[in-house]
Amino acid sequence: MNTLQVLGLCALPVLLWLYWRERSTHRKTTAVMSRALKDATERLGHDDRTGLLTLDMFEAKLNEAAQWADQSAQSLSVLTVAIDNFGLISNGFGETSAADVVKLAAERLVACADPAAAVCKVATADYALLVSGGADASTLLAQRIKAAFAQPFDIEGERVNLTCSIGIAVYPLHGAQANIINHATLAMRSLQSSGGADYCLYDPKMGSQAREEALLVNDLRQALQRGHFELYFQPKIDAQSLQVTAAEALIRWHHPTRGFVSPVVFIPLAEKYGLIGPIGTWVIEEACRQAHGWADSGLRMRVAVNISGYQMRQDNLVEFIQGVLAAHGLQPQRFTCEITETVAMEDTQATQLTFEKMRHAGFHVSIDDFGTGYSSLASLQRLPAAELKIDRAFVMDLEQNEMSRSIVKSIVQLAKACNLRIVAEGVETTGQRDLLVAMGCDDLQGYLFSMPVSGNELQKMAMNRFSANSAEFRDSLYATSFMNDMK
Ligand code: C2E
Ligand code: CA
Ligand code: CA
């Protein structure tokens, strides 16, 4: 045995000892790590603050439950629950109180459901419940949840009433397991878009409506770049002199395949999906460009633009309009901002600041669709408004309905008391016109006088004195002497 072999034999036990020590340390470490991993997985499967399941864990439970439902020919239901207008809570009370509400709502949901139910937090104020049973059982649960939400929530000592919207999808009745949460969410969202505060079962039609909406919004995004929008104009007529005092700009969308799409359809979509900003900007620029063209042709009238709630909340709206007016050499008092009564009554700081700036800028402000909101005399006087537009709904059945006549009469009195000019919109018959004039309306607007038409057509009508088309217009229509002070 040489020296090397002797040394090898001596080192062997040491090496073996080192090997076993390493192995046992490794085993211990692995055990500690797997325990930690298990704890973390369990924690990860639950939302920290509410203790509800996470969406991943909920989906895993749904997967298991769907297998059970398949084997036993039973049904199960997913309910998605959203706290309505949750933004108001975070804006009004701050993030900490909003987080408390989310936790309180989670506790109420858990208390409503069977202990075997899985309850999960999907998003900030959205939850999902997985329960056994079909439409009957889930509808009963939805009623219990609705009743639980009817109890006021205590937020910073205030008793605040909240509502929730609940969408229900039943497996396998309402589709494959992979779609069931989406279908419940679709039901909940479609309920929310019509006011919420209730529950409803999924209907396959909801899918096609949502798809249709998505396609339309996609086209709407491209419509501006592709020049598919056009502005039409409808005149407002002085009830006494029958002269045109203004032209209201109304947007038109010529869709390449759908044809004409009404602003009643796409303006609310533009507002909902954040597209009203660029569209509103285009309308203001285009209306001023047109007003400049009319002024060059010797026509003197105001141009009126519908301003959305979103635009009213932008802090640079007034400065932007001032810039466009200056670029076209137009006076601010020749520009009318039509703001709906509902938006005008929004008491947000941003809206009120915009009104204040409008007053300073000297814009002509008109309160649109008047009579549909809840204005008080005090709130009206606070606004820099010069004009009220009576909503078409009251004008429509003026001849048949005593109640509409009384409402219009009191709106006219209110307007006079506030020193406001009163415009009646949607005038279609001579009977309506006569009643409105007798009641003291200052201006009239409607199909009786003119449909909304393109800027060029309005100009042509004006140049031809327009009398051929409508006996309602006088020759003096668009007289250049009228409103000479305005430019
Ligand atoms: P609005 O501001 O109340 O506009 C009046 C609506 O009544 C217009 O519908 C007009 O074409 C229609 N109208 C006018 N006279 C008569 C009449 O005698 N009979 C009947 N039945 N209807 C009449 P339009 O153009 O479809 O616009 C609908 C709504 O879309 C507008 O209601 C306004 O809220 C919104 N809108 C239109 N253009 C714009 C825009 O450029 N910006 C914004 N934010 N909203 C717009
Ligand atoms: Ca309007
Ligand atoms: Ca209106």
Side-chain angles (χ1 to χ4, degrees):
M1 197 180 278
N2 59 28
T3 326
L4 216 60
Q5 283 168 324
V6 172
L7 273 176
L9 269 175
C10 292
L12 190 64
V14 178
L15 285 172
L16 278 171
W17 177 78
L18 279 173
Y19 170 75
W20 283 115
R21 199 185 68 164
E22 186 58 31
R23 255 194 84 168
S24 92
T25 314
H26 179 72
R27 272 213 205 104
K28 275 190 210 140
T29 313
T30 314
V32 170
M33 275 179 64
S34 65
R35 233 189 351 262
L37 201 65
K38 191 163 170 279
D39 286 355
T41 315
E42 290 215 326
R43 267 205 310 278
L44 273 180
H46 289 82
D47 173 59
D48 275 351
R49 205 164 150 82
T50 59
L52 297 183
L53 297 178
T54 58
L55 187 56
D56 281 349
M57 194 62 107
F58 185 81
E59 281 172 342
K61 293 217 180 263
L62 173 61
N63 190 17
E64 272 173 36
Q67 284 175 21
W68 162 83
D70 292 342
Q71 284 156 12
S72 55
Q74 301 281 329
S75 292
L76 54 89
S77 303
V78 168
L79 293 84
T80 49
V81 183
I83 304 176
D84 296 326
N85 305 314
F86 185 71
L88 278 180
I89 303 293
S90 19
N91 291 343
F93 293 92
E95 293 306 326
T96 312
S97 296
D100 289 344
V101 170
V102 168
K103 191 161 183 284
L104 280 173
E107 285 163 9
R108 290 191 191 183
L109 286 177
V110 171
C112 287
D114 184 275
V119 187
C120 124
K121 184 161 168 271
V122 182
T124 314
D126 291 6
Y127 311 85
L129 292 92
L130 169 64
V131 292
S132 56
D136 290 347
S138 50
T139 303
L140 280 175
L141 173 57
Q143 284 166 356
R144 279 204 300 279
I145 295 173
K146 206 178 147 187
F149 268 75
Q151 303 302 315
F153 283 72
D154 185 339
I155 312 178
E156 294 175 9
E158 299 283 342
R159 286 164 65 78
V160 178
N161 289 305
L162 296 177
T163 59
C164 65
S165 301
I166 309 164
I168 307 170
V170 177
Y171 174 80
L173 178 71
H174 292 144
Q177 179 218 319
N179 298 329
I180 218 75
I181 300 178
N182 280 347
H183 285 174
T185 307
L186 205 56
M188 181 263 283
R189 295 268 175 256
S190 77
L191 186 66
Q192 273 196 320
S193 62
S194 58
D198 211 341
Y199 60 89
C200 84
L201 282 162
Y202 168 75
D203 184 319
K205 270 194 235 122
M206 290 167 178
S208 48
Q209 276 165 7
R211 193 181 140 78
E212 172 67 8
E213 190 168 301
L215 290 172
L216 208 56
V217 170
N218 194 41
D219 292 351
L220 200 50
R221 280 184 209 286
Q222 296 163 359
L224 258 186
Q225 296 133 18
R226 300 191 177 168
H228 293 163
F229 288 128
E230 191 183 0
L231 272 195
Y232 271 30
F233 297 87
Q234 189 183 36
K236 294 183 193 177
I237 316 290
D238 182 287
Q240 299 302 323
S241 69
L242 293 183
Q243 285 179 312
V244 170
T245 56
E248 177 180 1
L250 294 159
I251 192 166
R252 296 291 175 256
W253 182 13
H254 304 287
H255 190 283
T257 54
R258 292 167 197 265
F260 170 74
V261 185
S262 166
V264 177
V265 172
F266 73 83
I267 290 288
L269 285 183
E271 281 171 347
K272 186 169 160 190
Y273 294 102
L275 300 170
I276 196 69
I279 294 177
T281 298
W282 178 83
V283 170
I284 292 166
E285 283 172 340
E286 182 61 16
C288 290
R289 192 190 62 77
Q290 188 60 72
H292 176 98
W294 291 330
D296 275 354
S297 317
L299 304 177
R300 302 283 184 273
M301 56 192 171
R302 286 193 173 102
V303 67
V305 165
N306 290 287
I307 305 285
S308 72
Y310 171 86
Q311 288 171 287
M312 286 299 286
R313 289 188 289 275
Q314 302 311 297
D315 57 10
N316 62 347
L317 174 75
V318 172
E319 291 81 351
F320 170 73
I321 299 175
Q322 282 174 315
V324 181
L325 290 173
H328 291 286
L330 300 168
Q331 298 291 322
Q333 61 270 31
R334 289 196 58 182
F335 187 84
T336 303
C337 300
E338 290 201 6
I339 299 147
T340 64
E341 183 189 9
T342 322
V343 170
M345 289 304 133
E346 262 181 24
D347 208 13
T348 65
Q349 230 182 349
T351 305
Q352 295 313 316
L353 185 66
T354 303
F355 268 124
E356 218 29 62
K357 286 191 191 171
M358 283 178 170
R359 188 198 304 275
H360 278 114
F363 297 164
H364 186 253
V365 173
S366 172
I367 307 299
D368 204 356
D369 299 344
F370 194 79
T372 54
Y374 304 94
S375 310
S376 65
L377 193 60
S379 51
L380 263 183
Q381 277 175 326
R382 224 181 45 219
L383 300 172
E387 175 181 292
L388 284 192
K389 284 184 86 173
I390 303 176
D391 191 67
R392 181 155 58 87
F394 303 113
V395 174
M396 205 158 55
D397 52 2
L398 206 56
E399 290 166 278
Q400 299 81 32
N401 191 331
E402 176 59 39
M403 178 71 104
S404 291
R405 281 200 288 276
S406 305
I407 292 173
V408 173
K409 263 186 213 153
S410 43
I411 294 179
V412 173
Q413 276 166 11
L414 179 74
K416 302 272 175 219
C418 297
N419 211 12
L420 297 169
R421 222 174 146 78
I422 190 109
V423 184
E425 65 177 3
V427 185
E428 293 183 353
T429 68
T430 49
Q432 290 165 352
R433 177 203 60 193
D434 295 344
L435 279 167
L436 290 161
V437 172
M439 285 176 190
C441 281
D442 301 299
D443 287 87
L444 306 171
Q445 185 181 356
Y447 296 166
L448 177 68
F449 305 98
S450 169
M451 299 283 287
V453 292
S454 71
N456 281 345
E457 206 171 326
L458 192 71
Q459 184 164 334
K460 258 191 261 156
M461 291 187 330
M463 293 309 173
N464 296 335
R465 299 265 182 219
F466 191 49
S467 48
N469 258 355
S470 170
E472 301 306 323
F473 283 100
R474 279 200 353 204
D475 268 4
S476 59
L477 178 71
Y478 304 114
T480 42
S481 60
F482 184 67
M483 289 183 160
N484 255 349
D485 57 325
M486 299 184 83
K487 196 191 173 205

